Amino acid sequence: GDNVFLGSQVVTISDALIGDADGNGEVTIADVTRVQQIVAGIVEKSDCDMNADVDANGKLDIRDATLIQRYLAQYIDKFPAEK
């Protein structure tokens, strides 16, 4: 996969976890919050944030936040990007 440089870390995109916007290796409510902050213009997008494009439409939007919430609540067991 492609390498992305994050400060002193190198992350291989193929190893990225879908839904993990903050790049900590887990999908949590913090990832939902980060997507919401990006959509609202409160924080700027980084390379890891595109891991949260869980519907694979090429952009982060409120649909991604909602899908991550549904995943965390176990209404869905995988994201559209994984199908």
Side-chain angles (χ1 to χ4, degrees):
D2 296 332
N3 289 334
V4 175
F5 296 92
L6 302 172
S8 62
Q9 294 181 330
V10 177
V11 176
T12 303
I13 294 296
S14 62
D15 296 337
L17 180 61
I18 296 175
D20 181 20
D22 60 13
N24 71 348
E26 300 177 312
V27 178
T28 67
I29 197 67
D31 299 302
V32 174
T33 301
R34 177 137 181 97
V35 172
Q36 291 170 332
Q37 290 173 332
I38 292 166
V39 170
I42 296 169
V43 297
E44 291 188 28
K45 196 168 28 174
S46 72
D47 291 332
C48 275
D49 293 319
M50 289 312 291
N51 295 342
D53 178 22
V54 296
D55 62 2
N57 69 352
K59 61 183 178 180
L60 288 181
D61 52 32
I62 202 66
R63 178 173 159 76
D64 296 306
T66 301
L67 285 166
I68 296 169
Q69 287 174 321
R70 290 177 56 79
Y71 175 80
L72 292 171
Q74 299 180 342
Y75 285 112
I76 59 175
D77 61 358
K78 61 182 171 181
F79 299 114
E82 296 178 291
K83 294 181 179 181

